[in-house]
């Protein structure tokens, strides 16, 4: 294991102080501490950019960042399913299986699960896909997906990099990104790269958390109080079209409970236009 390129103790000290300023309702002090976190660790393992943006005191980042996502999900892997599924009612993977059946798509040849996590999508689609691939940034999540036995091949990596660089040329019939877009702000790279990897009439399925404020944020998305990206419906629709995909379904869903309230989102099925 390589040693971190920053002072972990110093980062932890400033991180704890940022959290206590937030808790005590001192946003300016919290913001100063989050900026100090970034000075110590520019790769941003603690998600300081998201925190600053959520406080309204920093720009909206283009993504949550690989260091933050990897750290977060490596830490959460063991309790992920217990918390998300059993406590917070997350059921996007089974909704994906349902909506594909409703649209008349029962079986698939080759499928790719982007941000596959512990493998819930693979399990939900088990028996319906000839060859199932999964990729995720978090090695600890991938280890649990491996144990699910629902994937033929699993990879540790970033979703867009994987789509751009995967050396096997065979196209996919189905590409899924379940609860991954909340960690990607800008959807352009993912949608464009996914569309290129789909075969004729291939399907792209994704869930979003929906921006519920007034109008549309300037970027098309914003960082919510939950430190995830919330996308405006119109922005997502524009990005789908720009990638050469046609939306077959754009269904409002409740993604999970968040602080005792339902988190609104959309479940999207789009087909590659020939
Ligand atoms: C909330 S979990 C959802 C996991 C799974 N798709 C499911 O529905 O249960 C989000 C997953 O996406 C992964 N992830 C987030 N951003 C990613 C990216 N840019 N590239 C690859 N994986 C990513 C995380 O590591 C995490 O495992």
């Amino acid at each position: 294991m390589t040693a971190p390129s920053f002072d972990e103790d110093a980062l932890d000290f400033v991180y704890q102080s940022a959290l206590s300023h937030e808790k005590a309702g001192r946003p300016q002090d919290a913001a100063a501490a989050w900026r100090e976190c970034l000075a110590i660790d520019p790769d941003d393992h603690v998600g300081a950019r998201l925190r600053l943006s959520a406080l309204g005191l920093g720009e909206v980042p283009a993504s949550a960042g690989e260091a933050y996502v990897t750290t977060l999900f490596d830490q959460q892997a063991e309790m992920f399913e217990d918390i998300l599924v059993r406590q917070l009612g997350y059921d996007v993977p089974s909704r994906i299986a349902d909506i594909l059946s409703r649209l008349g798509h029962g079986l698939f040849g080759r499928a790719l699960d982007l941000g596959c996590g512990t493998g819930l999508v693979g399990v939900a689609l088990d028996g319906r896909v000839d060859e199932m691939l999964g990729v995720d940034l978090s090695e600890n999540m991938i280890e649990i997906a491996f144990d699910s036995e629902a994937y033929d091949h699993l990879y540790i990596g970033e979703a867009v990099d994987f789509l751009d660089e995967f050396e096997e040329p065979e196209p996919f019939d189905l590409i899924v990104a379940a609860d991954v877009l909340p960690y990607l702000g800008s959807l352009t790279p993912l949608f464009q790269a996914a569309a290129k990897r789909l075969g004729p009439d291939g399907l792209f399925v994704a869930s979003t958390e929906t921006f519920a404020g007034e109008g549309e944020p300037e970027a098309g998305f914003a960082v919510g109080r939950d430190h995830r990206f919330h996308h405006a419906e119109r922005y997502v629709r524009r990005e789908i079209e720009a990638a050469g995909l046609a939306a077959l379904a754009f269904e409002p869903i409740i993604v999970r409970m968040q602080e005792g309230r339902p988190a609104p989102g959309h479940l999207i099925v789009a087909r590659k236009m020939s």
Side-chain angles (χ1 to χ4, degrees), residues 85-106:
V85 180
R86 284 178 272 283
Q87 296 180 35
L88 302 179
Y90 173 74
D91 65 352
V92 169
S94 59
R95 283 174 184 271
I96 288 175
D98 286 351
I99 198 168
L100 289 171
S101 300
R102 274 192 278 132
L103 292 171
H105 296 277

Side-chain angles (χ1 to χ4, degrees), residues 118 141-151 154:
T118 58
M141 297 289 270
I142 284 278
E143 274 177 18
I144 298 172
F146 181 81
D147 290 340
S148 76
E149 298 184 0
Y151 296 83
L154 285 163

Side-chain angles (χ1 to χ4, degrees), residues 180-198:
V180 178
L181 276 41
Y183 302 91
L184 300 169
S186 169
L187 300 181
T188 314
L190 185 86
F191 283 18
Q192 298 278 338
K196 281 190 196 134
R197 286 286 182 172
L198 284 172

Side-chain angles (χ1 to χ4, degrees), residues 49-71:
R49 289 186 181 85
L50 290 175
R51 297 286 189 149
L52 283 163
S53 188
L55 288 169
L57 296 169
E59 287 175 8
V60 185
S63 86
E66 288 184 34
Y68 170 68
V69 169
T70 308
T71 307

Side-chain angles (χ1 to χ4, degrees), residues 108-181:
F108 298 90
R110 196 167 141 85
L112 173 63
D113 185 7
L114 298 170
C116 63
T118 58
L120 294 172
V121 170
V123 170
L125 293 178
D126 207 16
R128 295 174 59 174
V129 180
D130 288 342
E131 191 183 15
M132 186 76 179
L133 283 70
V135 60
D136 200 287
L137 275 169
S138 161
E139 186 173 349
N140 293 356
M141 297 289 270
I142 284 278
E143 274 177 18
I144 298 172
F146 181 81
D147 290 340
S148 76
E149 298 184 0
Y151 296 83
D152 297 289
H153 309 283
L154 285 163
Y155 302 87
I156 297 166
E158 199 284 324
V160 178
D161 289 348
F162 184 85
L163 289 163
D164 286 341
E165 293 162 17
F166 187 48
E167 68 268 12
E168 289 180 16
E170 294 86 10
F172 293 100
D173 306 303
L174 173 69
I175 297 180
V176 178
D179 206 21
V180 178
L181 276 41

Side-chain angles (χ1 to χ4, degrees), residues 17-31:
S17 117
L19 291 182
S20 35
H21 285 310
E22 277 202 14
K23 210 167 161 194
R26 295 187 294 265
Q28 296 294 345
D29 292 334

